[in-house]
């Protein structure tokens, strides 16, 4: 499938184009498999499968993400049993106890990103160990924000499990790539390449 480029909004079948200044939209756009601006659970599932996740993890992730974010991204609308996520409003789904790398409008805050490593990467300057990652999550916790704690732990734990290197390190370049969604495209390409080698 390769890289998925945004298309302009023209005609009756217009495609959604992420806002250039809204990195959070770019992050989520990968999972919008038909590029219509709405992500349904089955699209989230397909997105996780595309980056090499198993059926069980993809299923749990799809349910957790869509059930948790759908209503927040559809302000003023009646809850839908299909749990769609509207990408244009994804910034409204920001939870507490996070790193602050996305601001309230979904923009990338470089200073907050650098803080992740200046404050928590003690063993290696540009990478986090499992223990350092857990320490960061604990430091980011806001009092009694249990939902935020769970959301942050789940997001970072999945990222660590999927993207740690052979030494158990989560590298800075990997973390930065996940924020704008480019990591997902790369992982999809690697998964497709591995499948082709297996078939060959």
């Amino acid at each position: 499938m390769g890289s998925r480029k945004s298309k302009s909004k023209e005609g009756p079948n217009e495609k959604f184009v992420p806002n250039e200044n809204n990195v959070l939209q770019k992050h989520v756009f990968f999972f919008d498999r038909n590029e219509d601006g709405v992500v349904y659970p089955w699209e989230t599932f397909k997105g996780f499968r595309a980056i090499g996740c198993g059926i069980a993890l993809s299923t749990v992730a799809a349910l957790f993400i869509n059930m948790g974010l759908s209503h927040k991204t559809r302000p003023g609308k009646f809850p839908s049993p299909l749990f769609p996520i509207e990408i244009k409003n994804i910034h409204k789904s920001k939870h507490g106890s996070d790193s602050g790398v996305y601001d309230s409008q979904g923009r990338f805050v470089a200073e907050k990103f650098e803080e992740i490593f200046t404050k928590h990467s003690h063993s290696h300057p540009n990478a986090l160990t499992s223990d350092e990652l857990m320490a960061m999550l604990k430091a980011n916790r806001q009092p009694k924000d249990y939902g935020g704690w769970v959301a942050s732990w789940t997001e970072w734990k999945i990222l660590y499990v999927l993207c740690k290197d052979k030494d158990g390190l989560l590298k800075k370049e990997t973390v930065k790539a996940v924020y704008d969604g480019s990591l997902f495209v790369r992982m999809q390409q690697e998964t497709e390449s591995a499948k082709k080698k297996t078939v060959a």
Side-chain angles (χ1 to χ4, degrees), residues 108-121:
F108 183 81
V109 183
E111 295 82 2
K112 288 293 184 180
F113 174 75
E114 293 298 331
E115 278 185 13
I116 292 175
F117 298 90
T118 56
K119 289 185 176 181
H120 304 288
S121 57

Side-chain angles (χ1 to χ4, degrees), residues 22 24 88-95 98 100-109:
N22 193 316
L24 185 53
K88 67 180 180 180
N89 295 321
I90 193 63
H91 60 281
K92 295 182 182 296
S93 70
K94 259 179 60 69
H95 57 76
D98 65 354
V101 176
Y102 293 128
D103 69 9
S104 61
Q105 297 302 311
R107 294 168 298 201
F108 183 81
V109 183

Side-chain angles (χ1 to χ4, degrees), residues 9-197:
K9 294 184 176 182
E10 295 180 358
N13 297 318
E14 61 186 28
K15 299 292 185 177
F16 178 81
V17 181
N19 186 312
E20 279 300 314
N21 296 319
N22 193 316
V23 182
L24 185 53
Q25 286 188 6
K26 294 180 180 180
H27 169 87
V28 177
F29 183 65
F30 173 82
F31 297 92
D32 183 10
R33 308 310 284 178
N34 63 357
E35 302 181 359
D36 65 351
V38 181
V39 181
Y40 289 94
W42 51 89
E43 291 183 289
T44 305
F45 174 85
K46 289 179 181 177
F48 272 89
R49 291 290 286 154
I51 62 176
C53 296
I55 292 176
L57 176 56
S58 299
T59 300
V60 172
L63 293 174
F64 178 83
I65 292 172
N66 282 75
M67 292 176 70
L69 304 185
S70 178
H71 188 57
K72 295 178 181 179
T73 65
R74 304 173 73 247
K77 296 182 179 180
F78 195 77
S80 170
L82 297 179
F83 299 108
I85 295 172
E86 294 188 6
I87 299 179
K88 67 180 180 180
N89 295 321
I90 193 63
H91 60 281
K92 295 182 182 296
S93 70
K94 259 179 60 69
H95 57 76
S97 302
D98 65 354
S99 62
V101 176
Y102 293 128
D103 69 9
S104 61
Q105 297 302 311
R107 294 168 298 201
F108 183 81
V109 183
E111 295 82 2
K112 288 293 184 180
F113 174 75
E114 293 298 331
E115 278 185 13
I116 292 175
F117 298 90
T118 56
K119 289 185 176 181
H120 304 288
S121 57
H122 306 300
S123 303
H124 304 79
N126 294 309
L128 295 171
T129 64
S130 177
D131 288 343
E132 289 168 348
L133 177 59
M134 291 301 105
M136 180 194 74
L137 292 176
K138 187 174 182 180
N140 288 342
R141 287 180 181 174
Q142 297 173 0
K144 298 182 179 180
D145 177 29
Y146 305 116
W149 298 2
V150 172
S152 292
W153 184 90
T154 303
E155 292 163 357
W156 282 95
K157 197 64 177 178
I158 290 176
L159 176 63
Y160 180 80
V161 170
L162 293 179
C163 300
K164 64 183 178 181
D165 66 12
K166 59 182 178 61
D167 299 314
L169 299 174
L170 185 59
K171 294 184 177 179
K172 183 177 183 178
E173 61 189 40
T174 300
V175 176
K176 188 168 187 179
V178 80
Y179 276 108
D180 65 9
S182 61
L183 176 66
F184 302 138
V185 176
R186 189 172 78 221
M187 291 176 72
Q188 175 177 275
Q189 293 171 338
E190 292 172 352
T191 299
E192 290 175 347
S193 178
K195 286 181 179 178
K196 288 179 181 178
K197 289 181 181 178

